[in-house]
Amino acid sequence: MSSAGSRRGPTGSVTVRALNLLEVFSPDQPVLTLSEMSRLTGFPLTTVHRLAADLTAWGALERDGSGRYRIGLRLWEVASLAPRGTMLRELAMPVMEDLSQITQENVQLGVREGTEIIFLERIGGKRAVPVRTRVGGRFPIHASSIGLALLAFAPTVVQDEVLSRPLERFTEKTITSADELRRTLAEVRKRELAISDRQVTMDALSVAAPIFSRPGVVAAAIAIVVNAETAQTTALSQMVRAAARSIGRALQPGGLTARGQVGGLSR
Amino acid sequence: MSSAGSRRGPTGSVTVRALNLLEVFSPDQPVLTLSEMSRLTGFPLTTVHRLAADLTAWGALERDGSGRYRIGLRLWEVASLAPRGTMLRELAMPVMEDLSQITQENVQLGVREGTEIIFLERIGGKRAVPVRTRVGGRFPIHASSIGLALLAFAPTVVQDEVLSRPLERFTEKTITSADELRRTLAEVRKRELAISDRQVTMDALSVAAPIFSRPGVVAAAIAIVVNAETAQTTALSQMVRAAARSIGRALQPGGLTARGQVGGLSR
């Protein structure tokens, strides 16, 4: 292993290289050959071959009928123990199902990871507007209502980092001015509610509420996404706020914070 | 790394040891200290310390407020790309939601991994009987209807392995005789339907249907779990069969098999 190790210096340990091999898989490329993995990681083919063999033996990778590699079910199984992933989702699911059944609209659950949001769950409504999210997918934090709800309660250092960078424009309504985003976040903190009105796509409006695991500490956010033309924001706001409070209660005692403690989740 | 490597011989590569460290986490122990990980793996504390540092730097592990370790959201994110995990679940979810809304009962989705089943999804019904499953959790294959549906269409070598071992008893109705299990599996293959009547708990009856990705090849199974006292098995059977067919169509073309190919899933 040491010959490959010297390519990347002391930070490129074998463990990290094995993990780097896993992260070249993507929604667009869920199945890869060894040569593709070599090209995407920059690792020599012999290194990729050895790492892939180890990962496959354990089940972190699987091979398909044509010999190509994909992320394995064993990794999915272990990862389902992530307290901020499947376990938070499990607690939120009954409330999300209620909200989805009542409204027949899209209901989403997300957490913050650095300056991005990761969607933990999405329930599609019968008469729902198309949404751009994917479970396990990332999304910039400044456009969606879930992102705004999470960013508003993030540490100042995280907010400053987002505000210091160019804000990607998705529609003509996307907030791309740091000053305007700062004002919006202050409003979200005051109301404990975020609204994204055609800021992601021109047909969708979403309303999100932060989920508090304890006062002032936000573990996740829940949102409902509806057609912007017919949105009844007052009614939606009340329902989303109630859902967020209900999930927050389920997180206690101990609760899950964005980076903090976990407790009472051993079920 | 080589000193720790010599403890386990040539099969215990650094990659495999790092993965071994991940698999000591469990639903009962989702948060661990370094000493606990050392005890559970049998690895020296120095090895555990180094592996945990690498895994944490990448995000496969996270530390909580008290410095203990848990499975990280980054691992969950990468694992969500497993075609037989989140991606299969995403395709099945709309159908599962319909079935849950219509019946108000528990709906479950599972795949086979060796001689066990792994639950990919569970939607809880309003008036639902308590169930013993957890998303990402394992369960013996011979007791539940999902297990019977998957085992009936598994390769003969897998069936023989299950039939050659003692069959754990959960209730007085659990099938524990290899002959009886063999007859049951033949029946399941003929009807393309499995019924577990109080074989897991004395209050629950479940009906499962295999999900074919192509003729004869089963990718997963879907089940509905109801109160055994009031179960209307004929109506349930029809609904579950229809749901399985509907998900099977969504898997094509290419489809997902238990060990086979994946195709058309790059969304």
Side-chain angles (χ1 to χ4, degrees):
Chain A
M1 299 279 174
S2 58
S3 67
S6 60
R7 288 186 76 246
R8 311 192 94 221
T11 58
S13 74
V14 176
T15 303
V16 170
R17 273 203 305 281
L19 295 167
N20 288 338
L21 198 61
L22 294 178
E23 67 188 342
V24 296
F25 291 84
S26 69
D28 293 331
Q29 298 192 289
V31 182
L32 295 169
T33 63
L34 289 175
S35 334
E36 285 165 341
M37 287 189 261
S38 172
R39 184 172 50 77
L40 289 164
T41 54
F43 299 159
L45 197 55
T46 50
T47 304
V48 169
H49 190 275
R50 192 171 43 222
L51 292 172
D54 280 346
L55 290 166
T56 305
W58 184 81
L61 292 179
E62 295 174 349
R63 302 188 73 175
D64 71 7
S66 62
R68 295 177 307 167
Y69 293 82
R70 56 189 188 188
I71 299 290
L73 194 61
R74 179 84 187 101
L75 193 73
W76 182 88
E77 187 184 0
V78 168
S80 72
L81 297 172
R84 293 208 293 135
T86 309
M87 293 177 87
L88 196 155
R89 175 199 164 276
E90 288 267 289
L91 287 173
M93 199 62 179
V95 175
M96 294 182 67
E97 278 162 11
D98 283 350
L99 196 54
S100 162
Q101 289 205 14
I102 291 164
T103 62
Q104 303 284 307
E105 304 279 9
N106 292 295
V107 177
Q108 303 183 328
L109 179 75
V111 293
R112 182 178 61 79
E113 179 78 347
T115 58
E116 294 185 301
I117 46 174
I118 296 181
F119 287 97
L120 297 187
E121 184 54 274
R122 180 193 63 185
I123 304 185
K126 287 275 160 247
R127 53 174 202 222
V129 67
V131 292
R132 296 183 50 176
T133 54
R134 178 183 67 80
V135 170
R138 293 198 174 216
F139 205 79
I141 205 163
H142 68 284
S144 69
S145 64
I146 281 199
L148 294 170
L150 292 167
L151 186 58
F153 292 92
T156 312
V157 61
V158 174
Q159 293 174 4
D160 287 347
E161 193 182 333
V162 173
L163 289 162
S164 70
R165 295 184 309 199
L167 298 166
E168 188 184 349
R169 176 178 291 288
F170 298 98
T171 72
E172 61 192 73
K173 308 265 280 178
T174 308
I175 300 174
T176 55
S177 137
D179 280 346
E180 192 187 342
L181 183 53
R182 210 182 297 273
R183 281 195 300 274
T184 301
L185 294 177
E187 187 71 16
V188 170
R189 268 190 299 278
K190 209 171 81 186
R191 298 183 63 196
E192 297 187 354
L193 194 80
I195 295 175
S196 165
D197 182 4
R198 291 165 285 180
Q199 285 154 235
V200 177
T201 60
M202 282 307 283
D203 53 0
L205 179 147
S206 65
V207 180
I211 298 168
F212 292 93
S213 55
R214 55 179 196 268
V217 179
V218 168
I222 182 171
I224 188 160
V225 188
V226 304
N227 192 309
E229 295 283 313
T230 54
Q232 312 231 328
T233 49
T234 308
L236 292 174
S237 301
Q238 288 165 350
M239 281 191 286
V240 169
R241 265 215 201 91
R245 263 199 298 271
S246 173
I247 297 169
R249 272 196 303 276
L251 290 181
Q252 280 149 24
L256 289 153
T257 72
R259 291 151 189 249
Q261 289 165 295
V262 55
L265 278 173
S266 60
R267 49 189 327 273
Chain B
M1 298 281 174
S2 59
S3 67
S6 60
R7 287 187 75 247
R8 310 193 94 222
T11 59
S13 74
V14 176
T15 303
V16 170
R17 274 203 304 282
L19 295 167
N20 287 338
L21 199 59
L22 294 178
E23 68 189 340
V24 296
F25 292 84
S26 68
D28 294 331
Q29 299 193 291
V31 183
L32 295 169
T33 64
L34 289 176
S35 336
E36 285 165 341
M37 288 190 260
S38 171
R39 183 173 50 76
L40 290 164
T41 54
F43 300 158
L45 197 54
T46 50
T47 305
V48 169
H49 190 273
R50 193 172 44 223
L51 291 173
D54 280 345
L55 290 166
T56 305
W58 184 81
L61 292 179
E62 295 175 350
R63 302 189 71 174
D64 70 7
S66 63
R68 295 177 306 167
Y69 293 83
R70 58 190 186 186
I71 298 291
L73 194 61
R74 180 84 188 98
L75 193 73
W76 182 88
E77 189 185 358
V78 168
S80 72
L81 296 172
R84 292 208 293 137
T86 309
M87 294 177 85
L88 196 154
R89 173 200 166 277
E90 288 266 289
L91 288 173
M93 199 63 179
V95 174
M96 294 182 68
E97 279 162 12
D98 283 350
L99 195 54
S100 162
Q101 289 205 16
I102 292 165
T103 61
Q104 303 284 307
E105 304 279 8
N106 292 297
V107 178
Q108 303 184 326
L109 179 74
V111 292
R112 182 177 61 80
E113 179 78 345
T115 58
E116 293 185 304
I117 46 174
I118 297 182
F119 287 98
L120 297 187
E121 184 54 274
R122 180 193 63 186
I123 304 185
K126 288 275 158 244
R127 53 174 203 221
V129 67
V131 292
R132 296 183 52 176
T133 55
R134 180 182 67 79
V135 170
R138 292 197 175 216
F139 204 80
I141 205 163
H142 68 283
S144 69
S145 63
I146 280 199
L148 294 170
L150 291 168
L151 186 58
F153 291 92
T156 312
V157 60
V158 174
Q159 293 174 4
D160 287 347
E161 193 182 332
V162 173
L163 289 162
S164 69
R165 294 184 310 200
L167 299 165
E168 189 184 347
R169 175 177 292 287
F170 298 99
T171 72
E172 63 193 71
K173 307 266 281 179
T174 308
I175 300 175
T176 55
S177 136
D179 280 346
E180 191 186 343
L181 183 54
R182 209 182 298 270
R183 278 194 301 273
T184 301
L185 294 177
E187 186 72 17
V188 170
R189 268 191 300 277
K190 208 172 80 186
R191 297 183 62 195
E192 298 188 354
L193 193 82
I195 295 175
S196 164
D197 183 4
R198 292 167 284 181
Q199 286 154 235
V200 177
T201 60
M202 281 309 282
D203 52 0
L205 178 147
S206 65
V207 180
I211 297 169
F212 293 93
S213 56
R214 55 177 195 267
V217 179
V218 168
I222 182 171
I224 188 160
V225 189
V226 302
N227 192 310
E229 294 283 313
T230 53
Q232 311 231 329
T233 48
T234 308
L236 293 174
S237 302
Q238 286 164 352
M239 282 191 284
V240 169
R241 267 216 200 92
R245 263 199 298 270
S246 173
I247 298 169
R249 272 195 303 275
L251 290 182
Q252 282 151 21
L256 290 153
T257 71
R259 291 151 188 247
Q261 288 166 298
V262 53
L265 277 173
S266 62
R267 39 185 345 265

